[in-house]
Amino acid sequence: RMSTGCSRRWAIMGIAFLGVFGAIGFARFGYSAILPSMQEALDLSGAAAGSLASWNLGAYMTMALVGGLVAARFGPRIVITTGIALTAIGMLLTGLSADLVSASAARILTGLGNGMVLAPSLALLASWFQARQLGLASAVVSSGAALALVTSGPTVPLIIAWGGSDGWRWAWYAFAAAAALMGILAGVFLSDRPRSAAEDRS
């Protein structure tokens, strides 16, 4: 029974890691890898391209400030799943964007979505891990964004080369699909707290 509870805790951590990997890592850090091709295709100036990142960051910071409060009200699982879903939709719309206005709106939605993922994920871990394990679990989950940065570096050029002039769009579609899959995993398998003594932190 103890082994089952322990396995569930680490599974929760793994899914939270994947959520941060897809929602924050791909959405925020994948942008820099896709930007040159996207900027050329949409004929964006350097200032316009920078504004897209600013819109995303501003939306992220706004939602990150209240993410913990929202998670306390509705529960981390719902907030995390909703955040990943919004991020996936935002990345899909980024790939579909035709000009600065539509791209800006898509990046705002993406930022709002990924701002709902990290803080609630860390709050979720606190319900599953004792203090002596919580630091490790939090570090692992937070590292998901960094791993996405490393992964997108070699992956994006391959997708862009394969997709030709619309390669940058396909890169966003691929990221959106990956995030959507992780959102499904989060919605199905995450739980706000242990449901039985076998799953309890103690």
Side-chain angles (χ1 to χ4, degrees):
R1 293 176 59 185
M2 251 340 219
S3 176
T4 300
C6 183
S7 298
R8 183 71 191 277
R9 285 197 294 272
W10 295 111
I12 292 288
M13 184 200 72
I15 295 170
F17 169 87
L18 290 176
V20 172
F21 176 82
I24 298 179
F26 283 157
R28 288 184 61 196
F29 301 126
Y31 172 75
S32 59
I34 300 174
L35 178 59
S37 296
M38 180 178 175
Q39 182 177 354
E40 180 180 357
L42 297 182
D43 194 25
L44 302 177
S45 66
S51 73
L52 293 179
S54 297
W55 284 121
N56 179 257
L57 180 60
Y60 171 83
M61 292 298 296
T62 299
M63 188 55 68
L65 290 174
V66 299
L69 297 176
V70 175
R73 173 66 177 84
F74 297 102
R77 182 182 68 86
I78 291 177
V79 176
I80 293 167
T81 303
T82 301
I84 298 173
L86 288 178
T87 301
I89 294 171
M91 289 192 288
L92 175 63
L93 294 177
T94 303
L96 294 171
S97 59
D99 52 32
L100 178 61
V101 174
S102 57
S104 296
R107 297 305 292 162
I108 290 173
L109 180 61
T110 304
L112 291 174
N114 57 49
M116 298 169 66
V117 176
L118 182 58
S121 294
L122 298 180
L124 178 69
L125 295 178
S127 297
W128 282 90
F129 289 89
Q130 293 179 329
R132 58 189 171 83
Q133 297 175 323
L134 182 58
L136 172 62
S138 299
V140 169
V141 169
S142 299
S143 71
L147 180 61
L149 174 62
V150 173
T151 303
S152 61
T155 303
V156 169
L158 294 175
I159 298 175
I160 291 177
W162 172 82
S165 60
D166 285 331
W168 67 274
R169 296 186 187 275
W170 285 106
W172 282 122
Y173 300 156
F175 285 171
L181 175 59
M182 293 164 191
I184 292 172
L185 291 175
V188 172
F189 294 109
L190 288 184
S191 180
D192 288 340
R193 60 187 59 84
R195 297 173 182 172
S196 67
E199 293 178 339
D200 192 82
R201 293 179 298 167
S202 59

